[in-house]
Amino acid sequence: MLDTVPRAGTDADSAGTGPVPGRLVVQRGPFAGPTRRVPEDLYSEVLRGVAERDRERLHLVPGTHVTTNTYWGRFHATYWQRWSAVPSVQVSLRVGGHGHVWLMASDTNKVARAVEHVTVDGDGTVTMSGPIDRFLDGGGMWLEFVTETGELTVSDVYWTVGDREPARPVTVTICTYNRVADCLETLRALAGDAYVLDRIAGVRVVDQGSDPLEDHADFAAVAASLGAKLTYQRQPNLGGAGGFTRGLWEATAGTPAEDHDVLLMDDDVLLDPEIVIRLIGFGACTTRPTIVGGQMLNLLHPGHLHISAEFAMPEHLRVGIPVPGALNEGFLLGRDERDLPTVQDRRVDTEYNGWWSCLIPAPIVRAIGYPLPVFFQWDDIEYGYRAREHGFPTVSLPGAGVWHADFGWKDWDEWHRYFNQRNGLITAALRTGFDRRKVTGTVVSLLGQYLIGMQYGLAATLLTAVEDFLEGPQVLDDGSAAAAAKIRRIRSAYPETAPVPVSELDLDPRESVVHLAPPPPSRLLATWAKRVLLQTTGRLPFRSGMVPAGDAHWWFVSLFEKAIVTDMAETGVRIREYDRERLRELSSRAVRAVRRLRSEGPAVARQWKDAEPRLTDRATWTRLYDQG
């Protein structure tokens, strides 16, 4: 139907509920991204003809077909039917010209069907409704626009639900550490969207860096554009856990009636402010308090989704495992075997969500406590699993993402691996039965790979993580600030832990031939034993060679006396050299640590479990913040 409603920005949406009085906007309809670095086809796709796609406006010439059956263009109805009781969604859009508009829907198996159709002949507003009733296992809704002999212009697309308002105000918390330019860009993105600013109570920047954001000239202009909505705080570096928890701590400082929900946001993401509307809107409609997470899109490859739903195996120190049916490094601009778009049609339920962008309701904080003071790594994972134990789910919402540095371009052998490993052990102690065979087997397997692969610094990192875990909960008394300095100092003694530009190396071309790995061996344990024999007898087949990052498997690198391995970021190389003394020293230390882990691990795990109420209590974080 064609009718007229007030445009966004008038008195009708001054309360932040949208252009339609009495209805809550849960999604807008941008036709292009916040920057040209982002493919337009993530928002709308021209299937035939020619269309001009701007952020808020779409113009079709005659003979054109445009769809929003895309990552950002879909309304992901299957998640709404599973996690809310909303019976239907209404989409309104301003149109001008001549053409056709369809509200489309998909079934679980991606088969499309028309929900409603409007023929446009003139100017006005189209309003269409779609019941959220046949999407439990999968499916979504989207818009399609077609012109024949005329032209059509579309703008002001709003997806709304009725009789809903957020239960509490929402504050965005950004934790930053010496990423001034990135953080300013994130703040500019928020400040540049007046509609988003109207929906949030404030923006809190927790600055833990040695290069304060407020000392830079550009900060004043950004602060002025945010006005009274901005709160800027300096505090000692307590890692991501300490920075994000500050937002939760401040948001629950008063009585429950004064609480704010908190939308955690990394400082170094490429932000589409639309995610704020979608996370808040979905969170306002869930049937119980729910952690609503934004998904991670790859910054270097913006058409790729990292993982649409994931789980962890703490006893195996593994994270980021795709839930069956989830998109894993999915190319969102691609097509499947039926030439249908790559979208998450089938619902997959995640077990946690990364804190690159994640909405945490205050009632969950009140019920389960605050994050662990672990500095960073596994803080978001442990919190998600703790929430699940108390009956609070996490939803990783498709169509709501931020572009974050690609994980595949980050080298595993970095100082923060200590926190990944130590905090994984802590999470295993708190959230699993802590099976000593699984935990010890995992540590032994990793140490074997690191040592045979000449990653001696990484082996020392893991051993330090195990030893500190066995020290018990007191290692978190300072929020792990000392541990961050200690592990950097330890790793500095191992040259292969730092990449060097290849231009700084005087490489003999005869000894720096690039070697590619063969297929993986079928019997890994037997292969490991053979590599140990080759190293101890000095019969390694290659004296030196260059190994690409993707080929640097332990079972291949261990064939070299010196392997010049490309860093995963491909900005330099790491020199791994066989060192008999290092190997002997670390192996002896490993035997002692593994014996302790096997004998003392279960009792230490109980110490961690007993200390959980204290570690997650408000008083612990109050003490840490007061120390600054």
Side-chain angles (χ1 to χ4, degrees):
M1 57 180 290
L2 273 175
D3 55 13
T4 57
V5 297
R7 293 177 61 86
T10 66
D11 291 342
D13 67 334
S14 60
T17 57
V20 182
R23 299 188 64 83
L24 174 68
V25 173
V26 295
Q27 181 169 319
R28 296 178 296 181
F31 298 107
T35 169
R36 291 295 179 181
R37 293 168 56 193
V38 173
E40 293 174 323
D41 283 1
L42 290 177
Y43 292 80
S44 58
E45 183 181 4
V46 181
L47 300 178
R48 183 183 70 249
V50 177
E52 179 184 352
R53 292 172 285 179
D54 295 324
R55 177 71 173 166
E56 299 175 356
R57 178 180 176 275
L58 173 71
H59 181 74
L60 295 78
V61 303
T64 297
H65 183 182
V66 175
T67 181
T68 65
N69 187 20
T70 61
Y71 179 80
W72 285 97
R74 289 169 61 94
F75 177 83
H76 292 270
T78 180
Y79 290 81
W80 282 84
Q81 184 168 350
R82 169 62 181 89
W83 299 108
S84 83
V86 173
S88 65
V89 64
Q90 185 180 99
V91 57
S92 64
L93 53 148
R94 187 165 294 276
V95 295
H98 306 275
H100 301 272
V101 180
W102 277 272
L103 175 60
M104 302 291 294
S106 61
D107 300 331
T108 304
N109 59 3
K110 286 190 176 184
V111 175
R113 52 189 164 90
V115 176
E116 193 170 342
H117 165 261
V118 169
T119 298
V120 178
D121 186 12
D123 297 345
T125 298
V126 170
T127 302
M128 311 170 89
S129 294
I132 305 175
D133 60 351
R134 295 178 179 270
F135 300 97
L136 191 55
D137 286 337
M141 300 186 210
W142 67 91
L143 295 170
E144 299 212 358
F145 311 99
V146 173
T147 57
E148 295 169 343
T149 59
E151 298 188 1
L152 180 66
T153 299
V154 182
S155 64
D156 298 334
V157 177
Y158 292 93
W159 298 77
T160 64
V161 298
D163 301 324
R164 298 279 175 166
E165 288 188 12
R168 289 161 300 279
V170 175
T171 301
V172 175
T173 292
I174 299 173
C175 172
T176 188
Y177 178 84
N178 292 351
R179 285 178 170 147
V180 173
D182 291 335
C183 188
L184 288 174
E185 278 304 307
T186 300
L187 291 173
R188 288 190 189 100
L190 289 170
D193 194 319
Y195 190 82
V196 166
L197 281 184
D198 190 51
R199 289 287 293 272
I200 58 178
V203 179
R204 182 181 305 277
V205 176
V206 182
D207 192 342
Q208 303 184 130
S210 57
D211 183 17
L213 198 67
E214 62 182 346
D215 289 353
H216 290 258
D218 290 345
F219 177 73
V222 174
S225 63
L226 290 167
K229 297 248 176 175
L230 176 66
T231 299
Y232 176 80
Q233 290 179 297
R234 296 268 296 133
Q235 69 179 33
N237 185 20
L238 295 169
F244 285 135
T245 299
R246 187 61 182 257
L248 300 172
W249 187 86
E250 297 281 2
T252 53
T255 66
E258 300 170 299
D259 282 349
H260 286 207
D261 293 347
V262 180
L263 203 173
L264 305 177
M265 188 80 68
D266 264 352
D267 59 347
D268 60 342
V269 297
L270 174 57
L271 176 66
D272 188 329
E274 175 64 19
I275 190 176
V276 177
I277 301 297
R278 300 188 182 191
L279 296 186
I280 292 176
F282 189 86
C285 299
T286 54
T287 54
R288 66 175 64 189
T290 299
I291 297 174
V292 187
Q295 297 182 333
M296 177 185 146
L297 303 161
N298 290 339
L299 186 60
L300 283 175
H301 307 89
H304 290 256
L305 173 70
H306 175 49
I307 301 174
S308 60
E310 53 192 309
F311 69 98
M313 298 173 66
E315 292 170 315
H316 296 279
L317 302 183
R318 292 187 60 196
V319 300
I321 308 168
V323 171
L327 292 177
N328 180 21
E329 295 301 322
F331 182 47
L332 300 174
L333 306 178
R335 288 288 194 273
D336 65 13
E337 67 280 357
R338 293 181 292 166
D339 199 33
L340 296 174
T342 303
V343 292
Q344 186 69 66
D345 248 303
R346 183 170 289 276
R347 195 192 80 250
V348 288
D349 296 331
T350 196
E351 297 191 358
Y352 66 88
N353 199 93
W355 284 353
W356 41 73
S357 185
C358 193
L359 178 70
I360 300 182
I364 295 181
V365 180
R366 294 277 183 184
I368 75 172
Y370 295 91
L372 293 169
V374 292
F375 203 77
F376 73 159
Q377 302 279 333
W378 284 83
D379 49 340
D380 45 8
I381 299 167
E382 188 279 330
Y383 202 78
Y385 278 108
R386 197 192 325 161
R388 285 171 63 85
E389 289 180 10
H390 287 77
F392 301 113
T394 296
V395 175
S396 187
L397 188 64
V402 291
W403 287 271
H404 185 280
D406 304 33
F407 284 172
W409 284 62
K410 293 185 175 183
D411 206 280
W412 186 257
D413 192 357
E414 295 288 352
W415 67 272
H416 48 71
R417 199 57 53 204
Y418 161 85
F419 289 101
N420 181 282
Q421 294 161 339
R422 187 203 66 179
N423 298 348
L425 291 169
I426 294 171
T427 303
L430 297 178
R431 307 270 75 89
T432 75
F434 201 82
D435 185 320
R436 78 173 79 193
R437 289 175 299 175
K438 290 180 182 178
V439 175
T440 305
T442 296
V443 170
V444 169
S445 177
L446 291 175
L447 285 170
Q449 295 175 33
Y450 298 161
L451 291 172
I452 202 72
M454 300 178 291
Q455 291 182 289
Y456 305 121
L458 189 53
T461 302
L462 174 55
L463 287 170
T464 305
V466 172
E467 292 160 353
D468 286 359
F469 165 76
L470 292 171
E471 287 300 305
Q474 63 268 24
V475 300
L476 301 186
D477 284 351
D478 70 339
S480 296
K486 179 180 79 170
I487 197 60
R488 283 188 172 103
R489 184 174 64 253
I490 290 172
R491 288 174 55 85
S492 67
Y494 298 89
E496 84 281 354
T497 61
V500 295
V502 70
S503 59
E504 293 182 5
L505 302 177
D506 184 19
L507 296 176
D508 186 332
R510 294 169 299 177
E511 298 179 346
S512 58
V513 175
V514 174
H515 295 260
L516 303 181
S522 58
R523 300 171 60 198
L524 290 177
L525 186 58
T527 300
W528 184 86
K530 291 178 182 177
R531 298 296 187 267
V532 171
L533 182 62
L534 288 174
Q535 288 190 348
T536 55
T537 59
R539 293 186 294 152
L540 292 165
F542 302 110
R543 194 179 77 81
S544 180
M546 299 189 76
V547 180
D551 292 82
H553 312 290
W554 64 265
W555 44 264
F556 182 55
V557 172
S558 53
L559 296 172
F560 295 78
E561 291 181 31
K562 180 171 74 172
I564 305 163
V565 179
T566 304
D567 184 76
M568 285 299 295
E570 298 199 23
T571 58
V573 295
R574 297 178 185 237
I575 311 299
R576 302 193 206 172
E577 291 192 75
Y578 176 67
D579 188 324
R580 186 184 299 272
E581 290 306 312
R582 289 277 198 200
L583 180 60
R584 181 182 293 114
E585 169 203 338
L586 289 167
S587 296
S588 298
R589 183 180 168 191
V591 170
R592 294 192 298 271
V594 169
R595 283 176 176 169
R596 284 191 63 200
L597 182 62
R598 183 168 181 81
S599 62
E600 303 172 28
V604 173
R606 287 192 292 273
Q607 293 177 26
W608 281 101
K609 190 64 178 175
D610 291 343
E612 181 181 349
R614 173 179 64 83
L615 294 173
T616 61
D617 188 69
R618 182 176 181 85
T620 290
W621 284 105
T622 300
R623 175 180 57 80
L624 290 171
Y625 294 139
D626 286 347
Q627 287 177 176

Short mmCIF file of all heavy atoms in Angstrom, two decimals, residues 69 74 104-113 137-140 142 325 327 331-332 334-346:
data_model
loop_
_atom_site.label_atom_id
_atom_site.label_comp_id
_atom_site.label_asym_id
_atom_site.label_seq_id
_atom_site.Cartn_x
_atom_site.Cartn_y
_atom_site.Cartn_z
N ASN A 69 18.77 -9.12 -0.65
CA ASN A 69 19.02 -10.44 -0.09
C ASN A 69 20.54 -10.60 0.11
O ASN A 69 21.20 -11.38 -0.57
CB ASN A 69 18.47 -11.53 -1.00
CG ASN A 69 18.55 -12.91 -0.37
OD1 ASN A 69 18.66 -13.03 0.85
ND2 ASN A 69 18.50 -13.94 -1.19
N ARG A 74 19.23 -8.21 4.65
CA ARG A 74 18.20 -9.15 5.12
C ARG A 74 17.71 -8.80 6.52
O ARG A 74 18.46 -8.29 7.35
CB ARG A 74 18.76 -10.57 5.16
CG ARG A 74 18.98 -11.20 3.81
CD ARG A 74 19.77 -12.48 3.95
NE ARG A 74 19.10 -13.49 4.75
CZ ARG A 74 18.32 -14.46 4.27
NH1 ARG A 74 18.09 -14.52 2.97
NH2 ARG A 74 17.77 -15.36 5.06
N MET A 104 10.13 -10.13 0.24
CA MET A 104 10.39 -11.53 -0.04
C MET A 104 10.79 -12.25 1.25
O MET A 104 11.18 -11.63 2.24
CB MET A 104 11.52 -11.67 -1.07
CG MET A 104 11.25 -10.99 -2.39
SD MET A 104 9.93 -11.79 -3.32
CE MET A 104 10.69 -13.38 -3.68
N ALA A 105 10.66 -13.56 1.24
CA ALA A 105 11.09 -14.39 2.36
C ALA A 105 11.72 -15.65 1.81
O ALA A 105 11.48 -16.06 0.67
CB ALA A 105 9.90 -14.73 3.25
N SER A 106 12.55 -16.28 2.63
CA SER A 106 13.17 -17.55 2.25
C SER A 106 12.78 -18.62 3.25
O SER A 106 12.50 -18.34 4.42
CB SER A 106 14.69 -17.42 2.20
OG SER A 106 15.22 -17.07 3.46
N ASP A 107 12.77 -19.84 2.76
CA ASP A 107 12.55 -20.99 3.62
C ASP A 107 13.92 -21.45 4.15
O ASP A 107 14.97 -20.94 3.79
CB ASP A 107 11.87 -22.11 2.85
CG ASP A 107 10.51 -21.69 2.30
OD1 ASP A 107 9.88 -20.81 2.93
OD2 ASP A 107 10.11 -22.23 1.26
N THR A 108 13.89 -22.48 4.98
CA THR A 108 15.12 -22.99 5.56
C THR A 108 16.13 -23.39 4.49
O THR A 108 17.33 -23.22 4.66
CB THR A 108 14.81 -24.20 6.46
OG1 THR A 108 13.84 -23.81 7.44
CG2 THR A 108 16.05 -24.72 7.15
N ASN A 109 15.64 -23.92 3.37
CA ASN A 109 16.53 -24.38 2.31
C ASN A 109 16.78 -23.33 1.24
O ASN A 109 17.17 -23.64 0.13
CB ASN A 109 15.96 -25.65 1.67
CG ASN A 109 14.58 -25.41 1.08
OD1 ASN A 109 14.07 -24.29 1.11
ND2 ASN A 109 13.96 -26.46 0.56
N LYS A 110 16.56 -22.06 1.57
CA LYS A 110 16.87 -20.91 0.71
C LYS A 110 15.87 -20.68 -0.43
O LYS A 110 16.08 -19.79 -1.25
CB LYS A 110 18.27 -21.02 0.09
CG LYS A 110 19.41 -20.77 1.06
CD LYS A 110 20.73 -20.66 0.29
CE LYS A 110 21.87 -20.31 1.22
NZ LYS A 110 23.13 -20.12 0.47
N VAL A 111 14.80 -21.45 -0.51
CA VAL A 111 13.81 -21.23 -1.57
C VAL A 111 13.04 -19.94 -1.26
O VAL A 111 12.51 -19.76 -0.16
CB VAL A 111 12.83 -22.42 -1.68
CG1 VAL A 111 11.74 -22.11 -2.71
CG2 VAL A 111 13.60 -23.68 -2.06
N ALA A 112 12.98 -19.03 -2.24
CA ALA A 112 12.36 -17.72 -2.03
C ALA A 112 10.86 -17.76 -2.30
O ALA A 112 10.37 -18.54 -3.12
CB ALA A 112 13.01 -16.69 -2.94
N ARG A 113 10.14 -16.91 -1.57
CA ARG A 113 8.70 -16.74 -1.78
C ARG A 113 8.33 -15.28 -1.56
O ARG A 113 8.98 -14.58 -0.78
CB ARG A 113 7.91 -17.65 -0.84
CG ARG A 113 8.30 -17.50 0.64
CD ARG A 113 7.64 -18.58 1.49
NE ARG A 113 8.25 -18.71 2.80
CZ ARG A 113 7.89 -18.06 3.90
NH1 ARG A 113 6.87 -17.18 3.83
NH2 ARG A 113 8.50 -18.25 5.04
N ASP A 137 13.58 -22.87 11.89
CA ASP A 137 14.86 -23.50 11.58
C ASP A 137 15.74 -22.64 10.67
O ASP A 137 16.95 -22.87 10.58
CB ASP A 137 14.65 -24.86 10.91
CG ASP A 137 14.18 -25.91 11.89
OD1 ASP A 137 14.43 -25.74 13.09
OD2 ASP A 137 13.58 -26.91 11.44
N GLY A 138 15.14 -21.68 9.99
CA GLY A 138 15.93 -20.86 9.08
C GLY A 138 15.07 -19.97 8.23
O GLY A 138 13.84 -20.09 8.19
N GLY A 139 15.73 -19.03 7.53
CA GLY A 139 15.03 -18.14 6.63
C GLY A 139 15.08 -16.69 7.08
O GLY A 139 15.34 -16.38 8.24
N GLY A 140 14.80 -15.81 6.15
CA GLY A 140 14.79 -14.38 6.43
C GLY A 140 13.88 -13.65 5.47
O GLY A 140 13.19 -14.26 4.65
N TRP A 142 13.58 -9.93 2.93
CA TRP A 142 14.32 -8.86 2.27
C TRP A 142 13.43 -8.16 1.25
O TRP A 142 12.29 -8.57 1.03
CB TRP A 142 15.58 -9.41 1.60
CG TRP A 142 15.33 -10.34 0.44
CD1 TRP A 142 15.21 -10.00 -0.88
CD2 TRP A 142 15.14 -11.76 0.50
NE1 TRP A 142 14.98 -11.11 -1.65
CE2 TRP A 142 14.93 -12.20 -0.83
CE3 TRP A 142 15.13 -12.69 1.53
CZ2 TRP A 142 14.73 -13.55 -1.13
CZ3 TRP A 142 14.93 -14.03 1.23
CH2 TRP A 142 14.73 -14.44 -0.09
N GLY A 325 27.08 -26.15 10.65
CA GLY A 325 26.16 -25.36 9.85
C GLY A 325 26.51 -23.89 9.77
O GLY A 325 25.91 -23.14 8.98
N LEU A 327 28.71 -20.47 8.96
CA LEU A 327 29.65 -20.00 7.94
C LEU A 327 31.02 -19.84 8.60
O LEU A 327 31.16 -19.20 9.63
CB LEU A 327 29.19 -18.67 7.36
CG LEU A 327 27.90 -18.68 6.52
CD1 LEU A 327 27.55 -17.26 6.09
CD2 LEU A 327 28.06 -19.56 5.30
N PHE A 331 32.58 -16.41 2.21
CA PHE A 331 32.66 -15.32 1.23
C PHE A 331 31.25 -14.85 0.95
O PHE A 331 30.48 -15.49 0.24
CB PHE A 331 33.35 -15.80 -0.04
CG PHE A 331 33.50 -14.72 -1.07
CD1 PHE A 331 33.99 -13.47 -0.74
CD2 PHE A 331 33.16 -14.96 -2.39
CE1 PHE A 331 34.14 -12.47 -1.69
CE2 PHE A 331 33.30 -13.98 -3.35
CZ PHE A 331 33.79 -12.73 -2.99
N LEU A 332 30.88 -13.71 1.52
CA LEU A 332 29.50 -13.24 1.50
C LEU A 332 29.06 -12.73 0.13
O LEU A 332 27.87 -12.47 -0.07
CB LEU A 332 29.32 -12.14 2.55
CG LEU A 332 29.60 -12.56 3.99
CD1 LEU A 332 29.54 -11.35 4.92
CD2 LEU A 332 28.63 -13.64 4.45
N GLY A 334 29.74 -14.48 -2.58
CA GLY A 334 29.78 -15.65 -3.45
C GLY A 334 28.40 -16.27 -3.67
O GLY A 334 27.37 -15.76 -3.22
N ARG A 335 28.41 -17.38 -4.36
CA ARG A 335 27.20 -18.13 -4.67
C ARG A 335 27.43 -19.59 -4.31
O ARG A 335 28.56 -20.08 -4.36
CB ARG A 335 26.85 -18.02 -6.17
CG ARG A 335 26.31 -16.64 -6.60
CD ARG A 335 24.90 -16.45 -6.07
NE ARG A 335 24.20 -15.36 -6.69
CZ ARG A 335 24.25 -14.09 -6.28
NH1 ARG A 335 25.03 -13.77 -5.27
NH2 ARG A 335 23.55 -13.15 -6.89
N ASP A 336 26.34 -20.27 -3.94
CA ASP A 336 26.45 -21.69 -3.64
C ASP A 336 26.27 -22.51 -4.92
O ASP A 336 26.23 -21.96 -6.03
CB ASP A 336 25.46 -22.09 -2.56
CG ASP A 336 24.00 -21.95 -3.00
OD1 ASP A 336 23.74 -21.76 -4.21
OD2 ASP A 336 23.11 -22.03 -2.12
N GLU A 337 26.16 -23.82 -4.75
CA GLU A 337 26.08 -24.70 -5.92
C GLU A 337 24.79 -24.50 -6.71
O GLU A 337 24.70 -24.91 -7.87
CB GLU A 337 26.21 -26.17 -5.46
CG GLU A 337 25.05 -26.69 -4.64
CD GLU A 337 25.13 -26.26 -3.17
OE1 GLU A 337 26.12 -25.59 -2.81
OE2 GLU A 337 24.20 -26.58 -2.40
N ARG A 338 23.77 -23.85 -6.12
CA ARG A 338 22.52 -23.56 -6.82
C ARG A 338 22.48 -22.13 -7.32
O ARG A 338 21.43 -21.64 -7.71
CB ARG A 338 21.34 -23.83 -5.90
CG ARG A 338 21.13 -25.29 -5.54
CD ARG A 338 19.92 -25.46 -4.64
NE ARG A 338 20.13 -24.86 -3.33
CZ ARG A 338 19.15 -24.64 -2.45
NH1 ARG A 338 17.91 -24.92 -2.76
NH2 ARG A 338 19.42 -24.11 -1.27
N ASP A 339 23.63 -21.46 -7.28
CA ASP A 339 23.74 -20.06 -7.70
C ASP A 339 22.89 -19.13 -6.83
O ASP A 339 22.40 -18.10 -7.28
CB ASP A 339 23.35 -19.89 -9.18
CG ASP A 339 23.90 -18.59 -9.76
OD1 ASP A 339 24.99 -18.17 -9.33
OD2 ASP A 339 23.22 -17.98 -10.62
N LEU A 340 22.72 -19.51 -5.57
CA LEU A 340 22.03 -18.67 -4.59
C LEU A 340 23.06 -17.98 -3.72
O LEU A 340 24.17 -18.48 -3.52
CB LEU A 340 21.09 -19.53 -3.74
CG LEU A 340 19.95 -20.21 -4.50
CD1 LEU A 340 19.18 -21.14 -3.58
CD2 LEU A 340 19.03 -19.17 -5.13
N PRO A 341 22.73 -16.80 -3.19
CA PRO A 341 23.73 -16.03 -2.44
C PRO A 341 24.18 -16.73 -1.15
O PRO A 341 23.44 -17.50 -0.55
CB PRO A 341 23.01 -14.71 -2.12
CG PRO A 341 21.55 -15.03 -2.22
CD PRO A 341 21.44 -16.08 -3.28
N THR A 342 25.41 -16.44 -0.75
CA THR A 342 25.96 -16.99 0.50
C THR A 342 25.45 -16.16 1.67
O THR A 342 25.97 -15.09 1.97
CB THR A 342 27.49 -16.96 0.47
OG1 THR A 342 27.95 -17.70 -0.66
CG2 THR A 342 28.07 -17.56 1.74
N VAL A 343 24.40 -16.65 2.30
CA VAL A 343 23.84 -15.99 3.48
C VAL A 343 23.57 -17.07 4.52
O VAL A 343 23.47 -18.25 4.20
CB VAL A 343 22.53 -15.22 3.16
CG1 VAL A 343 22.81 -14.03 2.28
CG2 VAL A 343 21.50 -16.14 2.51
N GLN A 344 23.46 -16.64 5.78
CA GLN A 344 23.19 -17.60 6.86
C GLN A 344 21.69 -17.81 6.95
O GLN A 344 21.01 -17.24 7.79
CB GLN A 344 23.75 -17.09 8.18
CG GLN A 344 23.65 -18.08 9.33
CD GLN A 344 24.56 -19.27 9.15
OE1 GLN A 344 25.77 -19.14 9.18
NE2 GLN A 344 23.98 -20.46 8.97
N ASP A 345 21.15 -18.63 6.05
CA ASP A 345 19.71 -18.89 6.07
C ASP A 345 19.33 -19.80 7.22
O ASP A 345 18.36 -19.53 7.94
CB ASP A 345 19.27 -19.53 4.74
CG ASP A 345 18.39 -18.59 3.93
OD1 ASP A 345 17.36 -18.17 4.47
OD2 ASP A 345 18.74 -18.27 2.79
N ARG A 346 20.06 -20.86 7.42
CA ARG A 346 19.74 -21.79 8.50
C ARG A 346 20.25 -21.21 9.82
O ARG A 346 21.38 -20.75 9.91
CB ARG A 346 20.37 -23.16 8.25
CG ARG A 346 20.01 -24.20 9.30
CD ARG A 346 20.45 -25.59 8.88
NE ARG A 346 19.64 -26.09 7.78
CZ ARG A 346 18.46 -26.68 7.92
NH1 ARG A 346 17.94 -26.83 9.14
NH2 ARG A 346 17.79 -27.13 6.89
#
